[in-house]
């Protein structure tokens, strides 16, 4: 399997393989000892924990027409930001419970990161 870095860090393939095989999996995300892995299509990306500066959940409401009326589906996403709150990845998760479990695990693995979305920029006057 080939791995792609989102931060430019280069690591030996053997080291990535062994970490990926032992990582804990939640949906498309795998949490290794030093890196967070996720799949997008046929590619597997990784982000070292030390490169993560902010994490938060983004819930997208998708309108749906059903046989009995209208409703919404809530799509849970994990957003990972690097330096200067630049978004590195938005990863779709299987549901609310999985998102909550993943956030708790990441709080333990990346305690120096900020959790929660960035405050909206104040309008200039």
């Amino acid at each position: 399997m080939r791995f792609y870095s989102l931060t430019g860090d280069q690591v030996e393939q053997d080291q990535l393989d062994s970490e990926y095989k032992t990582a804990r999996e939640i949906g498309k995300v795998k949490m290794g000892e030093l890196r967070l892995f996720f799949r997008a299509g046929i590619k597997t990306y990784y982000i070292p924990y030390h490169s993560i500066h902010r994490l938060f959940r983004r819930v997208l409401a998708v309108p749906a027409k059903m046989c009995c009326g209208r409703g919404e589906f809530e799509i849970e996403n994990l957003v990972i930001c690097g330096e200067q709150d630049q978004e590195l990845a938005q990863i779709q998760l299987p549901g609310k419970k999985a998102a909550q479990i993943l956030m708790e695990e990441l709080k333990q693995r990346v305690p120096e990161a900020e959790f929660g979305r960035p405050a909206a920029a104040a309008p200039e006057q």
Side-chain angles (χ1 to χ4, degrees):
M1 177 180 300
R2 184 171 162 107
F3 297 96
Y4 299 90
S5 174
L6 287 178
T7 58
D9 294 10
Q10 297 301 320
V11 182
E12 289 186 28
Q13 186 71 27
D14 295 340
Q15 187 177 1
L16 291 171
D17 282 332
S18 64
E19 186 176 354
Y20 186 78
K21 287 177 184 174
T22 61
R24 180 167 185 230
E25 185 173 9
I26 298 176
K28 294 180 180 180
V29 177
K30 280 193 161 195
M31 294 174 290
E33 281 187 47
L34 303 172
R35 292 164 201 82
L36 181 101
F37 298 90
F38 67 95
R39 295 183 316 269
I42 59 173
K43 293 184 177 182
T44 303
Y45 296 95
Y46 68 91
I47 302 171
Y49 291 134
H50 65 80
S51 297
I52 298 173
H53 294 280
R54 181 180 299 276
L55 293 156
F56 61 95
R57 287 171 42 206
R58 181 177 287 156
V59 181
L60 302 174
V62 178
K65 294 180 184 178
M66 297 180 263
C67 62
C68 56
R70 293 178 181 226
E72 287 184 343
F73 291 112
E74 291 184 349
I75 308 297
E76 294 275 344
N77 294 286
L78 172 69
V79 179
I80 301 170
C81 298
E83 293 179 16
Q84 301 166 355
D85 287 336
Q86 172 193 6
E87 283 190 22
L88 297 174
Q90 178 175 310
I91 307 162
Q92 187 174 338
L93 300 172
K96 183 176 181 178
K97 187 173 181 177
Q100 291 170 339
I101 292 169
L102 182 61
M103 290 297 284
E104 289 302 316
E105 281 278 331
L106 288 171
K107 282 181 184 177
Q108 294 172 2
R109 293 178 191 249
V110 193
E112 67 276 1
E114 295 180 40
F115 289 81
R117 70 181 180 95
E124 294 183 22
Q125 295 180 7

